[in-house]
């Protein structure tokens, strides 16, 4: 099926331009005058010449013969009526872009649907308005759709984002550090003696090979060494042993997030300010429902001239209640080699009861002073995996790094 | 953290007053830095938080600390008399285990329960504080079986025999190491020594071979024993003295009478134990600054006395306190300040919110990772998280690639998690291999750190952020994954090129290198069927992996 183009419709109404041109000429006509005389002059002239009806001499168009009868008009009329002229004529009309093929099968199909019930609403029904003439079948809209799975954040990653955003709201600046750390930053700079049990191979991973880290500038190393050996200038007795720079330069994967804090303190931090880190940590635990291959820890510190233990309790209380939704908190005396006084915080959770959540304290002067910090620094560390397990409703810590696509697909967002 | 078995009744008797369960749990036990783990009738399990306070690792120590807040204020007093006993330290132990400090405690009433407590304390002190007997080994003996002086002397492994504890026949020193359970457990501490240390009396009776085992004769303490000889052996007097003090003070708390021993080192004699109190000065304004409490002198002094300090001197600005000889943890005035706060009770202190206003900030890479995740999720991908620890078989063998230098653990808990990943792709395939019975297609991505050796880096290894994406279905095409990559790159506005490059993990002719600024940033392609076989994956997989640090640099570099 074909239909007339706009040009085809015009020619049918007004006549073909080559005919109109010849009819407009009496004896001869200047080209410029002829151009004014008819529309589509160029096309008319081209076809009139091609048909041998006119010739051009000295800027004038001179008729040679009378226009013969052509079937063009008849053919256009046939097409308008939905009939088809012979192949040659059709090809000619197509070439002159007077007709185009009409993709009318869908349209026809749409027409055939009149009065019937349809399942799918098609573009043809919409365009032609024939949708008014059909009945659109109702569906069982109460049936649940086929199960599909959207792309989603991993639940634990989403949880970590939430915690970080919470800390951002509270005005904390995020810190980061290398996964492969030096014992110096992980232990020594935190005033953890080199013979401390948590530095033994059963408590801490070591890196294979004899590569060593590069210790920071000499003054920091010397001051840390002095703090360990005799307290340095901190007023402390120190741990009273011979400190080894070689041991401090040994490599290990970060065993706790607190390894990052002395890096920032030694570089010089803004006072007052608040800092946090939330990073992957590594310890050689036997893997079970409560010990993963790796774990995340979230910790940080606040530094200001005026900070006290009471502030530490205040920060912890606000923070724990805010982040965990706990109803109440309790403080317990605790011990960390790098804080004094030290405190452990348990929170009363509406469902879990009292849960041990965080450890905190005021950084010891043997830690801060060798790094060049004279202001009190209150520090806290949070085992966020336990909280994540609760929030995500899981009993086995390994699900935090789940390799079960079914669980990931079906896990609802928090 | 030491966990102690304690009798409720015994604890209250030592404190001198009956303390109710709730009171004990929520208040009293905190004075001794403990937490009640379990209460079962008379049996208590107490977690001791302070790993640097061996004086708290016994019922006696906990009771002593709590008693300060229930009437028994100030420094606990321990009087000593000279026992007249001499322990002669011979040159022959110098290269083995050179030092010992000793004491005698008399007039004890040792019931079976008390004996259990003594053994528990001895084990905790030698185990935790003494690093599994390496730094401190402790022996307790029936004093009345000892004749004359005691010699601490080295013997060749086959030179001497005695009947070790719980045995009925004599064994040579070397045989004890091989045959006695304690010899097997602790023998490594004497490894490579040509002489083993022995305590032996004038009559030739062996007391013990430290740090391994007592003799069955002198070294067996029973409920008939009333007087004991105690020795601690090791390498550092400053470490040994507190251990001895902790033990003798605990026995004295049970009514024992402490007597000193002359330990003779050549021409030098030291009298042990030395229970003279030590002292430290605390600045009052510092105390106020750190605590945030405005306490007057009287309150301060009261709290310190409850924490078992004596006030030696108090001036306008300073306070000099005396503390017991079993305290080896006090290094700085901060340590005293904490004890004062514990006396007050942490939960009695009103928390004071920090009012400072600061501007928070997240790491630019964290923010960028979230943007990346958003794009990947928009492309229909499920995020996964996997461990950064893996193994060489996963990273190289199964991926059909040559082994590369990676960051390896020296002491892994399991061979499965013994090296740090240097790429994410293996994790994507591992994930598919574990989910082959779940519905297809599976479309996943991971954003994470990998560790790359880099000698120029501060710690010889560098963290690199990567993104990996994988799709598995019954039919996949290269075009599908390159479309995902292209959508990702266009959305982030990163100009890139793909260049054909063979990679043994991918099908030849179906892998391209991703170039950003002409730099190799990753690869994209269809996984080689051999790799799929290695992972036991039954459907084709297409994937890409890209260096997010490079993408980040390109996106935010000023010269774009």
């Amino acid at each position: 099926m074909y239909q007339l183009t706009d040009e085809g419709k015009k020619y049918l109404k007004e006549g073909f331009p080559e005919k109109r041109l010849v009819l407009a000429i009496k004896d001869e006509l200047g080209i410029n005058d002829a151009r004014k005389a008819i529309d589509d002059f160029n096309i008319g002239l081209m076809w009139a010449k091609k048909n041998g009806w006119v010739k051009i001499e000295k800027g004038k168009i001179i008729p040679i013969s009378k226009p013969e009868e052509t079937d063009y008009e008849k053919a256009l009329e046939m097409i308008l009526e939905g009939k088809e002229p012979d192949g040659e004529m059709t090809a000619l009309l197509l070439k002159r872009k007077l007709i185009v093929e009409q993709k009318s099968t869908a349209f026809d199909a749409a027409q055939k649907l009149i009065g019937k019930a349809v399942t799918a609403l098609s573009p043809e029904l919409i365009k032609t308005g024939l949708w008014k003439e059909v009945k659109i079948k109702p569906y069982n809209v109460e049936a649940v759709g086929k199960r599909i799975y959207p792309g989603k954040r991993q639940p634990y990653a989403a949880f970590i984002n939430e915690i970080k955003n919470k800390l951002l709201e509270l005005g904390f600046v995020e810190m980061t550090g290398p996964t492969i750390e030096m014992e110096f930053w992980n232990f020594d700079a935190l005033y953890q003696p080199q013979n401390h049990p948590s530095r033994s191979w059963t408590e801490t991973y070591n890196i294979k090979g004899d590569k060593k880290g590069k210790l920071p500038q000499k003054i920091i190393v010397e001051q840390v060494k002095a703090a360990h050996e005799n307290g340095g200038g901190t007023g402390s007795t120190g741990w009273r042993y011979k400190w080894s720079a070689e041991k401090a330069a040994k490599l290990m994967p970060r065993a706790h997030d607190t390894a990052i804090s002395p890096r920032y303190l030694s570089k010089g931090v803004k006072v007052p300010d608040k800092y946090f880190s939330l990073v992957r940590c590594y310890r050689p635990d036997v893997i079970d429902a409560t010990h993963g291959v790796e774990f995340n820890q979230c910790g940080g510190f606040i530094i200001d001239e005026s900070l006290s233990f009471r502030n530490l309790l205040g920060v912890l209380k606000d923070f724990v209640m805010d982040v965990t939704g706990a109803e109440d908190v309790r403080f317990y005396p605790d011990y960390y080699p790098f804080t004094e006084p030290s405190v452990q915080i348990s929170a009363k959770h509406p469902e879990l009861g009292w849960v041990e959540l965080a450890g905190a304290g005021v950084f010891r002067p043997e830690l801060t002073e060798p790094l060049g910090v004279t202001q009190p620094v209150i520090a806290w560390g949070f085992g966020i995996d336990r909280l994540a397990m609760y929030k995500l409703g899981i009993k086995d810590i390994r699900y935090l790094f789940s390799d079960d696509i079914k669980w990931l697909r079906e896990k609802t967002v928090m | 953290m030491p966990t102690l078995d304690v009798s409720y009744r015994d604890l209250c008797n030592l404190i001198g007053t009956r303390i109710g369960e709730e009171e004990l749990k929520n208040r009293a036990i905190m004075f001794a830095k403990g937490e009640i783990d379990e209460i079962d009738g008379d049996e208590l399990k107490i977690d001791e938080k302070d790993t640097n306070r061996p004086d708290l690792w016994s019922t006696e120590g906990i009771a002593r600390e709590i008693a300060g807040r229930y009437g028994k204020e100030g420094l606990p007093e321990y009087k000593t008399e000279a026992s007249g006993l001499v322990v002669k330290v011979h040159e022959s132990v110098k290269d083995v285990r050179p030092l010992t400090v000793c004491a005698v405690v008399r007039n004890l009433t040792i019931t079976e329960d008390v004996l259990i407590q003594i053994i528990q304390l001895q084990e905790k002190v030698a185990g935790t504080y003494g690093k599994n007997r390496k730094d401190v080994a402790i022996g307790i003996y029936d004093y009345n079986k000892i004749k004359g002086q005691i010699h601490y002397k080295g013997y060749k492994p086959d030179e001497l025999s005695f009947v070790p504890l719980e045995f009925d026949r004599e064994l040579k020193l070397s045989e004890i190491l091989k045959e006695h359970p304690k010899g097997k457990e602790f023998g490594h501490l004497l490894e490579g020594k040509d002489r083993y240390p022995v305590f032996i009396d004038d009559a030739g009776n062996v007391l013990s071979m430290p740090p391994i085992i007592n003799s069955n004769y002198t070294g067996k303490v029973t409920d008939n024993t009333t007087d004991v000889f105690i020795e601690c052996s090791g390498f550092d007097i400053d470490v040994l003295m507190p251990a001895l003090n902790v033990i003798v003070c605990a026995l004295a708390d049970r009514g024992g009478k402490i007597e000193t021993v002359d330990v003779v080192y050549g021409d030098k004699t030291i009298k042990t134990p030395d229970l003279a109190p030590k002292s430290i000065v605390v600045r009052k304004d510092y105390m106020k600054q750190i605590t945030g409490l405005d306490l007057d002198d009287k309150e301060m002094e009261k709290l310190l006395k409850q924490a078992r300090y004596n006030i030696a001197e108090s001036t306008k600005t300073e306070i000099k306190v005396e503390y017991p000889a079993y305290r080896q943890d006090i290094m700085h005035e901060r340590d005293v300040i904490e004890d004062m706060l514990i006396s007050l009770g942490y939960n009695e202190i009103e928390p004071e919110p920090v009012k400072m206003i600061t501007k928070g900030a997240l790491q630019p890479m964290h923010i960028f990772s979230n943007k990346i995740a958003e794009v990947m999720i928009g492309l229909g991908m499920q995020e996964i998280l996997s461990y950064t620890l893996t193994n060489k078989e996963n990273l190289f063998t199964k991926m059909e690639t040559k082994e590369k230098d990676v960051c390896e653990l020296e002491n892994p808990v399991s061979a499965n998690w013994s090296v740090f990943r240097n790429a994410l792709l293996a994790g994507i395939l591992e994930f598919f291999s574990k989910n082959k019975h779940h519905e297809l297609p599976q479309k996943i991505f991971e954003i994470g750190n990998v560790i790359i050796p880099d000698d120029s880096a501060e710690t010889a290894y560098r963290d690199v952020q990567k993104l990996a994406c994988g799709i598995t279905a019954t039919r996949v095409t290269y075009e599908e994954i390159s479309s995902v990559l292209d959508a990702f790159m266009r959305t982030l506005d990163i100009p890139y090129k793909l260049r054909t490059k063979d990679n043994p993990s991918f099908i030849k002719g179906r892998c391209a290198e991703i170039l950003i600024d002409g730099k190799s940033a990753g690869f994209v392609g269809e996984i080689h069927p051999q790799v799929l076989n290695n992972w036991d994956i039954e459907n084709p997989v297409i994937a890409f992996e890209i260096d997010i640090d490079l993408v980040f640099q390109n996106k935010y570099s000023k010269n774009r």
Side-chain angles (χ1 to χ4, degrees):
Chain A
M1 287 290 281
Y2 299 91
Q3 67 183 75
L4 301 191
T5 62
D6 288 346
E7 205 178 358
K9 283 177 193 158
K10 187 178 168 193
Y11 289 3
L12 188 62
K13 199 172 151 202
E14 296 171 7
F16 279 67
E18 59 268 31
K19 261 193 188 168
R20 281 189 275 127
L21 175 69
V22 175
L23 290 174
I25 304 168
K26 295 272 159 55
D27 299 322
E28 58 175 45
L29 195 61
I31 287 179
N32 285 340
D33 293 334
R35 194 185 298 276
K36 285 174 204 152
I38 64 158
D39 289 342
D40 308 316
F41 167 76
N42 286 344
I43 300 170
L45 181 61
M46 186 184 83
W47 283 98
K49 269 166 73 185
K50 207 173 181 174
N51 292 347
W53 296 344
V54 298
K55 66 177 180 183
I56 295 176
E57 267 175 23
K58 292 170 191 164
K60 292 188 169 147
I61 306 168
I62 301 160
I64 308 172
S65 63
K66 287 219 163 148
E68 292 157 33
E69 231 5 77
T70 63
D71 291 333
Y72 281 121
E73 289 88 351
K74 208 178 279 173
L76 289 181
E77 260 167 42
M78 280 172 74
I79 286 165
L80 194 61
E81 286 158 16
K83 293 176 205 155
E84 207 163 314
D86 68 47
E88 206 179 324
M89 175 55 75
T90 303
L92 212 59
L93 291 175
L94 277 172
K95 196 178 163 197
R96 287 192 70 172
K97 296 200 172 77
L98 301 179
I99 61 169
V100 288
E101 200 169 350
Q102 191 192 23
K103 296 190 178 72
S104 63
T105 45
F107 178 79
D108 290 348
Q111 269 189 321
K112 283 179 197 150
L113 293 174
I114 291 172
K116 291 186 180 155
V118 300
T119 310
L121 188 58
S122 67
E124 287 74 23
L125 284 173
I126 297 166
K127 271 195 286 186
T128 58
L130 286 172
W131 58 267
K132 291 175 195 148
E133 317 282 332
V134 300
K135 182 174 184 295
I136 301 167
K137 280 188 210 162
Y139 288 136
N140 175 7
V141 291
E142 289 172 12
V144 175
K146 176 180 179 287
R147 185 161 290 202
I148 55 169
Y149 304 102
K152 276 192 301 186
R153 287 310 299 257
Q154 205 270 7
Y156 188 37
F159 168 81
I160 287 171
N161 256 341
E162 207 170 85
I163 295 284
K164 285 191 177 183
N165 287 335
K166 204 82 178 171
L167 285 158
L168 180 68
E169 279 172 26
L170 294 170
F172 281 86
V173 174
E174 187 182 10
M175 306 182 283
T176 188
T179 301
I180 306 304
E181 198 35 289
M182 254 177 286
E183 290 204 16
F184 183 81
W185 294 116
N186 196 88
F187 291 126
D188 297 283
L190 290 172
Y191 194 57
Q192 205 147 343
Q194 294 189 324
N195 67 351
H196 194 274
S198 66
R199 298 183 70 158
S200 69
W201 67 275
T202 52
E203 302 291 322
T204 309
Y205 282 128
N206 302 313
I207 302 298
K208 207 172 182 174
D210 45 22
K211 286 185 182 174
K212 295 272 181 187
K214 298 177 187 73
L215 291 173
Q217 67 260 44
K218 209 169 164 202
I219 176 140
I220 301 273
V221 177
E222 287 302 317
Q223 285 170 174
V224 167
K225 174 186 162 83
H228 280 244
E229 293 189 341
N230 53 41
T234 64
S236 169
T237 60
W239 287 107
R240 292 153 286 175
Y241 72 102
K242 181 114 188 64
W243 186 84
S244 152
E246 199 187 338
K247 171 138 178 84
K250 283 178 82 171
L251 298 177
M252 58 179 289
R254 174 175 52 218
H256 54 173
D257 74 287
T258 320
I260 295 173
S261 297
R263 284 179 168 276
Y264 278 70
L265 287 172
S266 70
K267 278 187 284 186
V269 290
K270 230 173 72 203
V271 181
D273 215 343
K274 304 173 188 156
Y275 292 87
F276 87 98
S277 60
L278 196 172
V279 289
R280 205 80 71 90
C281 301
Y282 304 83
R283 281 181 210 168
D285 290 322
V286 173
I287 294 132
D288 58 25
T290 55
H291 295 89
V293 177
E294 297 160 18
F295 60 100
N296 278 296
Q297 258 193 347
C298 178
F301 63 83
I302 305 177
I303 180 167
D304 192 16
E305 208 64 67
S306 67
L307 291 173
S308 70
F309 187 68
R310 278 183 63 202
N311 291 129
L312 176 65
L313 299 186
V315 168
L316 291 170
K317 188 175 175 183
D318 287 354
F319 180 72
V320 165
M321 288 170 87
D322 199 11
V323 170
T324 66
E327 297 165 333
D328 195 8
V329 294
R330 274 189 83 79
F331 302 110
Y332 296 84
D334 207 343
Y335 174 77
Y336 305 99
F338 38 91
T339 52
E340 191 83 12
S342 305
V343 55
Q344 179 226 303
I345 307 93
S346 289
K348 190 178 187 186
H349 206 277
E351 281 146 77
L352 299 178
W354 287 98
V355 185
E356 191 181 317
L357 271 184
V362 185
F363 271 152
R364 292 192 74 104
E366 296 98 320
L367 183 170
T368 51
E369 289 178 22
L371 303 178
V373 172
T374 51
Q375 300 85 354
V377 179
I378 59 180
W380 49 271
F382 214 147
I384 62 160
D385 286 359
R386 192 189 296 227
L387 186 61
M389 286 168 74
Y390 166 70
K391 286 244 173 172
L392 300 174
I394 55 177
K395 297 251 162 9
D396 188 326
I397 202 164
R398 286 166 285 197
Y399 265 84
L400 296 180
F401 293 90
S402 176
D403 55 17
D404 177 356
I405 200 169
K406 193 164 187 286
W407 185 77
L408 290 172
R409 279 172 166 171
E410 287 176 4
K411 187 77 206 135
T412 53
V413 295
M414 277 187 290
Chain B
M1 179 165 65
T3 300
L4 305 169
D5 290 311
V6 169
S7 150
Y8 199 157
R9 201 166 8 109
D10 189 25
L11 181 68
C12 292
N13 283 343
L14 285 163
I15 295 169
T17 178
R18 164 87 202 171
I19 295 176
E21 227 176 88
E22 283 303 304
E23 166 88 357
L24 179 67
K25 227 163 105 176
N26 296 327
R27 185 159 174 268
I29 197 63
M30 291 189 205
F31 295 134
K33 297 179 102 171
E35 196 176 333
I36 306 283
D37 199 25
E38 264 176 54
I39 299 187
D40 182 9
D42 187 52
E43 288 170 33
L44 303 178
K45 257 197 201 322
I46 298 178
D47 290 333
E48 250 316 312
K49 305 287 187 62
D50 199 329
T51 53
N52 198 29
R53 292 266 318 253
D55 62 294
L56 293 176
W57 303 345
S58 64
T59 312
E60 299 85 353
I62 291 171
R64 190 191 303 137
E65 206 66 27
I66 294 175
R69 285 78 174 186
Y70 289 83
K72 293 185 187 168
E73 290 176 12
L75 201 66
E77 271 187 50
Y78 297 100
K79 291 202 180 81
T80 57
E81 278 173 34
S83 66
L85 180 67
V86 173
V87 174
K88 194 162 182 295
V89 180
H90 292 248
E91 274 288 306
S92 48
V93 293
K94 207 177 159 194
D95 296 326
V96 195
R97 197 171 180 85
L99 304 178
T100 182
V101 294
C102 312
V104 169
V105 181
R106 291 177 181 271
N107 296 345
L108 288 167
T109 311
I110 301 180
T111 61
E112 202 175 316
D113 290 344
V114 171
L115 192 56
I116 290 169
Q117 288 298 316
I118 293 172
I119 293 167
Q120 175 170 271
L121 176 59
Q122 185 185 353
E123 277 176 1
K124 299 287 176 198
V125 174
T128 307
Y129 175 75
K131 313 249 157 55
N132 266 331
R133 301 192 187 179
K134 186 171 137 287
D135 293 352
V136 183
I138 301 166
I140 303 179
Y141 313 86
D142 188 337
Y143 182 52
N144 295 323
K145 289 183 180 167
I146 296 168
K147 306 260 181 327
Q149 294 190 349
I150 297 172
H151 301 269
Y152 181 45
K153 198 172 167 186
Y155 286 87
K156 288 181 184 155
D158 294 329
E159 193 181 346
L160 190 70
S161 306
F162 70 96
V163 182
L165 203 60
E166 308 303 339
F167 264 51
D168 53 9
R169 62 192 168 95
E170 280 201 351
L171 293 178
K172 285 183 189 163
L173 301 183
S174 59
E175 288 169 337
I176 290 172
L177 296 192
K178 282 183 212 121
E179 290 173 36
H180 197 281
K182 296 291 174 192
K184 290 178 195 164
E185 191 179 347
F186 297 103
H188 64 95
L189 295 171
L190 293 177
E191 209 171 77
K193 304 292 179 191
D194 55 3
R195 281 171 195 275
Y196 297 156
V198 167
F199 284 94
I200 188 166
D201 68 8
D202 274 347
N205 285 322
V206 172
L207 280 73
S208 71
M209 170 169 63
I212 313 295
I213 189 73
N214 283 6
S215 74
N216 202 43
Y217 175 64
T218 15
K220 194 168 185 177
V221 175
T222 67
D223 46 12
N224 292 322
T225 312
T226 55
D227 303 336
V228 295
F229 166 70
I230 305 161
E231 52 75 19
C232 298
S233 66
F235 303 86
D236 183 343
I237 288 283
D238 291 338
V239 175
L240 294 174
M241 287 289 219
L244 182 67
N245 293 347
V246 163
I247 305 271
V248 298
C249 291
L251 293 177
D253 287 350
R254 291 200 180 273
K257 205 165 118 276
I258 305 169
E259 295 184 353
T260 58
V261 172
D262 288 338
V263 185
V264 181
Y265 291 91
D267 51 10
K268 202 177 134 215
T269 299
I270 58 169
K271 221 178 242 314
T272 63
D274 177 4
L275 295 173
K278 295 180 251 181
S279 68
I280 185 167
V281 172
V282 184
R283 290 165 291 161
K284 288 179 178 170
D285 57 349
Y286 187 65
M287 191 176 257
K288 284 180 186 166
Q289 185 197 348
I290 295 298
T291 59
L293 297 167
D294 192 21
L295 300 169
D296 62 30
D297 282 7
K298 225 176 132 192
E299 289 168 313
M300 254 185 225
E301 286 172 19
K302 171 90 175 160
L303 291 170
L304 286 167
K305 279 194 256 173
Q306 286 180 327
R308 317 280 348 223
Y309 290 90
N310 261 5
I311 313 301
E313 211 184 319
S314 181
T315 68
K316 212 166 173 216
T317 54
E318 289 174 349
I319 190 161
K320 186 179 177 186
V321 292
E322 285 179 334
Y323 60 92
Y326 53 74
R327 291 286 301 267
Q328 51 82 49
D329 61 299
I330 294 174
M331 294 186 268
H332 189 272
E333 46 190 329
R334 279 281 185 92
D335 298 291
V336 181
I337 293 172
E338 184 188 77
D339 284 340
M340 205 187 74
L341 287 166
I342 291 172
S343 270
L344 189 56
Y346 282 5
N347 296 298
E348 307 302 316
I349 300 169
E350 197 190 333
E352 188 185 4
V354 171
K355 293 207 180 75
M356 70 166 80
I357 305 291
T358 55
K359 187 165 168 280
L362 295 173
Q363 285 286 325
M365 188 40 97
H366 170 76
I367 296 168
F368 189 56
S369 297
N370 274 345
K371 291 179 185 172
I372 286 173
E374 195 181 313
V375 176
M376 295 308 290
I377 287 163
L379 288 162
M381 308 285 158
Q382 167 68 50
E383 185 182 27
I384 68 162
L385 278 187
S386 53
Y387 294 119
T388 52
L389 283 170
T390 178
N391 55 68
K392 287 185 177 177
E393 197 196 344
N394 284 1
L395 279 184
F396 306 117
T397 317
K398 286 185 175 173
M399 300 305 289
E400 296 286 324
T401 58
K402 266 197 216 129
E403 192 174 315
K404 280 190 190 156
D405 186 16
V406 282
C407 184
E408 235 176 298
L409 294 177
E410 190 173 68
N411 52 335
V413 187
S414 152
N416 285 339
W417 298 291
S418 53
V419 306
F420 280 92
R421 65 188 179 190
N422 64 350
L424 299 180
L425 187 61
I428 296 284
L429 292 171
E430 187 175 12
F431 187 93
F432 285 148
S433 75
K434 288 184 173 158
N435 288 286
K436 54 181 188 172
H437 301 301
H438 291 300
E439 209 175 309
L440 295 176
Q442 294 172 7
K443 300 175 170 192
I444 58 170
F445 76 99
E446 176 165 19
I447 300 167
N449 277 29
V450 307
I451 307 292
I452 305 292
D454 179 354
D455 287 340
S456 71
E458 184 197 354
T459 58
Y461 295 92
R462 190 161 50 88
D463 284 86
V464 178
Q465 305 281 325
K466 297 239 184 185
L467 161 71
C469 167
I471 299 175
T472 184
T474 48
R475 270 182 66 88
V476 296
T477 62
Y478 174 79
E479 198 193 355
E480 189 180 350
I481 194 69
S482 66
S483 289
V484 170
L485 175 68
D486 184 60
F488 174 77
M489 298 295 251
R490 274 187 294 111
T491 310
L492 289 168
D493 189 23
I494 308 294
Y496 74 104
K497 282 201 171 68
L498 296 178
R499 183 168 65 190
T500 310
K501 181 148 189 196
D502 285 344
N503 179 324
S505 302
F506 292 85
I507 296 171
K508 199 171 159 61
R510 293 191 181 183
C511 178
E513 192 178 26
I514 306 166
L515 301 171
I516 297 176
D517 271 342
K519 265 185 260 173
S520 175
F523 41 82
V524 53
E526 183 173 353
I527 302 295
H528 198 285
Q530 182 59 56
V531 173
L532 300 178
N533 283 162
N534 296 346
W535 283 104
D536 201 17
I537 295 172
E538 290 159 5
N539 286 292
V541 175
I542 43 179
F544 74 79
E545 174 156 350
I546 188 164
D547 184 326
I548 291 305
D549 287 337
L550 275 179
V551 173
F552 181 83
Q553 283 158 25
N554 181 281
K555 183 152 180 68
Y556 298 107
S557 77
K558 286 182 189 129
N559 309 326
R560 280 191 77 193

